[in-house]
Amino acid sequence: AQRVTQPEKLLSVFKGAPVELKCNYSYSGSPELFWYVQYSRQRLQLLLRHISRESIKGFTADLNKGETSFHLKKPFAQEEDSAMYYCALSGRPTPLRLVFGAGTILRVKS
Amino acid sequence: DAGVIQSPRHEVTEMGQEVTLRCKPISGHDYLFWYRQTMMRGLELLIYFNNNVPIDDSGMPEDRFSAKMPNASFSTLKIQPSEPRDSAVYFCASSLGRAGAKGEQYFGPGTRLTVT
């Protein structure tokens, strides 16, 4: 079964501190992994996907197939990073059925 | 484009009443998704359509839930009868082609449903 686990409901860090939002997945195959973000009073939106290997707003995420993880990282947190973050997985046989984790609230304190 | 449009934005109803949530996808998008967001379970896919046809409704929790897409620009999610445990935020999303499988699903603002 496809499953995404985000172990932390809330992560609170100080501005300038490093951030790591954890995501582990369960999938027997080669999934596609994504991070979505929902800022206060805004729509849920795609932040980044593993296949693009890109850095968005200073965030990066590396797919570790051995550990079945896709942690989201940023070296220096900013207050505007405060939001809800969802990790999601897409895989066969239903690639359009995105499976989301429960989400992690990131709070960046000044 | 205004993006995905959902109405109402907030709905408060009493247990046992019928609730209808509405969604207008982005023009030209051929996939439409309904999600439910709760504190306990996070974001769950309920059903999705392709070219107005329901493709996968395995996430629909029970027979009290039904969804329709009579045309390319409109979809409804109905709950009849509603129960307090249906209280959640319901999101509609749309995508173009198979891009939805690459994460490119565009979400609406959501409808916050409260059933008392």
Side-chain angles (χ1 to χ4, degrees):
Chain A
Q2 300 176 6
R3 186 178 300 165
V4 175
T5 303
Q6 294 178 250
E8 302 143 327
K9 284 224 174 283
L10 171 66
L11 181 63
S12 188
V13 301
F14 283 102
K15 177 182 171 182
V19 172
E20 183 178 54
L21 298 169
K22 291 184 169 50
C23 172
N24 290 90
Y25 67 90
S26 174
Y27 178 73
S28 55
S30 294
E32 293 206 38
L33 275 298
F34 314 96
W35 276 100
Y36 278 79
V37 61
Q38 187 175 24
Y39 300 103
S40 179
R41 298 187 184 86
Q42 293 189 28
R43 303 179 183 210
L44 187 65
Q45 58 188 288
L46 178 66
L47 179 62
L48 56 79
R49 49 194 140 194
H50 90 270
I51 202 164
S52 299
R53 295 182 173 275
E54 56 199 344
S55 173
I56 303 292
K57 298 184 178 182
F59 283 99
T60 58
D62 291 319
L63 178 60
N64 185 322
K65 291 187 178 180
E67 296 183 357
T68 60
S69 68
F70 187 57
H71 303 328
L72 184 67
K73 300 178 183 179
K74 184 170 182 176
F76 307 104
Q78 299 173 308
E79 289 181 73
E80 54 264 35
D81 296 328
S82 296
M84 172 72 94
Y85 291 81
Y86 286 99
C87 181
L89 173 156
S90 166
R92 293 182 181 276
T94 55
L96 282 154
R97 172 171 275 281
L98 293 183
V99 177
F100 285 82
T104 298
I105 298 170
L106 174 64
R107 286 196 187 135
V108 181
K109 301 175 287 188
S110 58
Chain B
D1 197 330
V4 175
I5 298 172
Q6 291 186 246
S7 65
R9 295 292 307 277
H10 301 274
E11 177 80 38
V12 180
T13 191
E14 292 184 348
M15 180 174 63
Q17 297 298 305
E18 177 180 295
V19 175
T20 300
L21 311 181
R22 298 172 176 80
C23 175
K24 182 182 189 308
I26 292 174
S27 177
H29 281 190
D30 52 351
Y31 284 85
L32 184 140
F33 307 82
W34 281 102
Y35 288 89
R36 179 172 65 177
Q37 181 187 45
T38 62
M39 286 294 293
M40 292 298 296
R41 301 173 66 92
L43 201 60
E44 301 174 286
L45 178 65
L46 301 178
I47 185 172
Y48 76 87
F49 296 82
N50 177 218
N51 291 324
N52 315 335
V53 176
I55 302 300
D56 183 351
D57 66 354
S58 59
M60 295 287 263
E62 40 195 287
D63 291 345
R64 298 184 296 105
F65 286 70
S66 62
K68 294 181 179 180
M69 192 165 185
N71 58 62
S73 59
F74 183 67
S75 177
T76 61
L77 178 67
K78 186 176 293 186
I79 308 173
Q80 166 63 19
S82 58
E83 296 183 3
R85 60 195 169 115
D86 301 330
S87 297
V89 180
Y90 291 82
F91 288 100
C92 178
S94 70
S95 70
L96 179 62
R98 303 293 287 180
K102 303 297 182 184
E104 291 180 29
Q105 296 186 16
Y106 295 85
F107 283 76
T111 295
R112 182 174 296 277
L113 173 65
T114 303
V115 183
T116 61

